[in-house]
């Protein structure tokens, strides 16, 4: 009986788009760690300004600390970790438009 996909190979050559990656203790970061461990390159979006306004607050190291940690979880030198930071309440529209454009540039 196997325990799931082989680490580092199941998603090799694929790009995962993960939203909500602005804190090292957040769900988006946990999902990103798992996807990177399976070999996916990552295109991430975050909205740290939103977190700063919440009771849990923003990551103490900022989004740069989140990205630095995720870059250590990749299993292949070909994997990339890229990020788009949203900065205002219109982020949903911008995220869709910019992520699509970023995704095309990323591949």
């Amino acid at each position: 009986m196997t325990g799931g996909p082989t680490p580092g190979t199941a998603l090799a050559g694929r790009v995962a788009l993960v939203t909500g990656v602005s804190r090292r203790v957040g769900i988006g970061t946990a999902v990103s760690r798992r996807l990177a461990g399976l070999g996916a390159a990552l295109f991430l979006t975050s909205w740290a300004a939103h977190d700063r306004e919440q009771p849990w607050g923003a990551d103490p190291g900022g989004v740069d600390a989140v990205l630095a940690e995720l870059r250590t979880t990749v299993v292949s030198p070909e994997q990339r970790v890229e990020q788009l930071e949203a900065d205002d309440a219109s982020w949903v529209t911008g995220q869709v438009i910019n992520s699509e454009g970023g995704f095309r540039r990323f591949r």
Side-chain angles (χ1 to χ4, degrees):
M1 181 172 183
T2 64
T6 304
T9 61
L11 298 176
R14 298 197 176 192
V15 178
L17 170 62
V18 184
T19 62
V21 183
S22 58
R23 299 179 316 123
R24 287 173 282 184
V25 296
I27 295 169
T29 302
V31 169
S32 297
R33 280 187 203 106
R34 176 75 169 137
L35 292 168
L38 292 172
L42 303 174
F43 186 81
L44 313 170
T45 66
S46 60
W47 191 13
H50 170 74
D51 286 329
R52 281 191 293 275
E53 297 171 1
Q54 302 306 312
W56 54 79
D59 190 280
V63 176
D64 289 338
V66 176
L67 296 173
E69 178 187 310
L70 288 172
R71 287 186 175 115
T72 68
T73 65
V74 299
V75 294
S76 164
E78 291 82 34
Q79 284 176 268
R80 291 176 55 189
V81 177
E82 302 294 337
Q83 182 256 356
L84 170 69
E85 172 72 24
D87 59 4
D88 61 31
S90 65
W91 74 278
V92 174
T93 303
Q95 179 174 312
V96 172
I97 293 168
N98 291 323
S99 293
E100 184 174 325
F103 182 75
R104 286 183 183 154
R105 287 189 307 270
F106 186 66
R107 293 205 86 193

